[in-house]
């Protein structure tokens, strides 16, 4: 087990804090690390793709769990896998796709761990059909603050507190996950353009049920009649008979592409309103008005940014904030107001997506609820950004919505209870399970979780 005291930050590269990063190689070493946590406690960490401060712990310990990444058992008939929580979704795809299985939920990157997927209760383009990741987890082993390893089954309070609990109930060691059967490693994709936000919402409402996966890139710099114009991309796993002859020779091959890494030094002002506006205009215009049945690799459909290592560097040393919120069905006017405010503010965001959420899952701090979710990246140095986002928080809370804790880095704590009605249950269970506060993070201190 190695350890170093180093600065730690989230994927947004904002607000780094110094912690002792411990890298256990066995479950016993993980248990030893938990027992030896000092007064500032510790927090488990995977591949560092939480955008904010959820996997940071100023002055304390951070447990890097990525060395624990084994696949223990695959039920190729029943479609389940038992694996270490430190394994990445990328590695699971490499192992499972040749067997005709796919991970049940994947976010916009495959470089997240199974433990992180449960701790953040991640969602993907298929939430309206499949829910979030924890819905497909049958059980997991959890190392708690008292040094015990507990088998936690779905439907129990500890399961519901851990799913979306941001690592604050303990260290997930292994998990049993139910998988999605597939015939090929390609996607059949439909693409279309929407003229404005109302057009986009109408298309999603009317036809999303036909697709397993659905997402819209939205131009948040467009104004006037074009406010909320978007490119809508939807699809499903391609069946074997949809593949051309050559592709049928290796229908389940998992192929990815990789471009050069983004440079560590990026010119100041690269992502200005002018440059992002030009990008958005070109991106929208080059998209087809309507295209059906295009075959795409899984990596291109789900994880296009993974092809650019360290893409988060393009925002410069100041980093960026990713802001994601959800408002329920019936709150479309609130969504329109938020989009209108972002457009009027001229936020230079080229990574902005709108999706529909389906039925909520039982995690007490799980983010998705039925409705509309918008996520956008904004350079952290944008003047007045904090005050502007505080105003959006208030708009979202007033509409009964919430922000995503796995991406948050600046929410005011007084809004948290309004957004997450099971917050008191979470705090009570955590106090009983971990009275000394062994598991803690910059996020938990900031929001008094």
């Amino acid at each position: 087990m190695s350890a170093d005291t180093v600065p730690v930050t989230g994927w947004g590269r904002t607000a780094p804090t110094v912690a002792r990063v411990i890298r256990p190689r066995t479950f016993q070493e993980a248990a030893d690390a938990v027992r030896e946590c000092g007064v500032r406690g510790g927090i488990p960490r995977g591949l560092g793709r939480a955008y904010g401060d959820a996997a940071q712990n100023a002055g304390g310990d951070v447990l890097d769990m990525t060395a624990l990444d084994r696949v223990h058992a695959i039920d190729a008939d029943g479609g389940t896998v038992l694996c270490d929580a430190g394994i990445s979704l990328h590695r699971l795809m490499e192992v499972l796709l040749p067997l005709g299985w796919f991970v049940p939920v994947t976010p916009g990157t495959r470089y997240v761990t199974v433990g992180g997927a449960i701790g953040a209760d991640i969602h993907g383009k298929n939430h309206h059909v499949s829910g979030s990741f924890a819905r497909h987890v049958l059980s997991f082993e959890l190392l708690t603050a008292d040094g015990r390893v507990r088998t936690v089954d779905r439907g129990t309070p500890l399961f519901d507190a851990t799913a979306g609990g941001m690592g604050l109930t303990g260290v997930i060691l292994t998990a049993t996950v139910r998988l999605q059967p597939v015939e090929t490693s390609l996607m059949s994709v439909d693409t279309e353009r929407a003229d404005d936000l109302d057009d986009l919402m109408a298309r999603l409402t009317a036809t999303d049920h036909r697709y397993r996966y659905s997402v819209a890139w939205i131009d948040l710099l467009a104004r006037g009649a074009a406010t909320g114009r978007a490119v809508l991309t939807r699809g499903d796993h391609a069946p074997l008979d949809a593949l051309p002859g050559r592709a049928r020779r290796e229908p389940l091959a998992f192929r990815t592409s990789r471009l050069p890494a983004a440079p560590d030094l990026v010119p100041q002002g690269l992502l200005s309103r002018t440059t992002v506006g030009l990008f958005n205009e070109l991106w929208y215009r080059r998209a087809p008005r309507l295209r059906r049945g295009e075959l795409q690799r899984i990596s291109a459909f789900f994880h296009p940014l993974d092809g650019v290592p360290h893409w988060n560097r393009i925002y410069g040393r100041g980093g960026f904030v990713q802001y994601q919120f959800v408002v329920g069905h019936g709150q479309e006017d609130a969504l329109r107001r938020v989009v209108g405010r972002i457009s009027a503010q001229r936020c230079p965001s080229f990574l902005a997506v709108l999706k529909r959420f389906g039925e909520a899952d039982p995690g007490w701090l799980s983010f998705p609820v039925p409705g509309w979710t918008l996520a956008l990246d904004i350079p952290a140095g944008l003047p007045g950004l904090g005050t502007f986002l505080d105003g959006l928080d208030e708009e979202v809370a007033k509409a009964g919505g919430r922000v995503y804790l796995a991406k948050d880095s600046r929410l005011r704590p007084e809004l948290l209870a309004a957004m997450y009605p099971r917050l008191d249950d979470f705090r009570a269970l955590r106090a009983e399970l971990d009275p000394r506060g062994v598991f803690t993070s910059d996020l938990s201190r900031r929001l008094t979780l």
Side-chain angles (χ1 to χ4, degrees), residues 51 311 320-324 351 375-378 407-409:
Y51 285 78
W311 65 263
F320 69 99
V321 172
Q322 180 159 107
Y323 185 73
Q324 184 169 7
L351 293 174
L376 60 148
D377 291 352
I378 312 171
K407 297 183 177 179
D408 176 60
S409 58

Side-chain angles (χ1 to χ4, degrees), residues 192-207 216 218-219 224-230 232 284 331-337 339-340 354 356 372:
E192 58 193 277
R193 289 195 319 210
D195 296 331
D196 56 34
L197 182 60
D198 285 341
D199 181 30
L200 173 61
M201 289 193 292
R203 291 171 189 249
L204 288 167
T205 301
T207 57
I218 184 170
D219 183 359
T227 299
R229 67 180 180 179
L232 180 55
Y284 180 77
Q331 294 294 333
E332 286 76 13
D333 282 346
L335 176 62
R336 293 184 185 97
R337 286 193 297 271
V339 169
L354 182 74
R356 292 173 73 242
W372 304 91

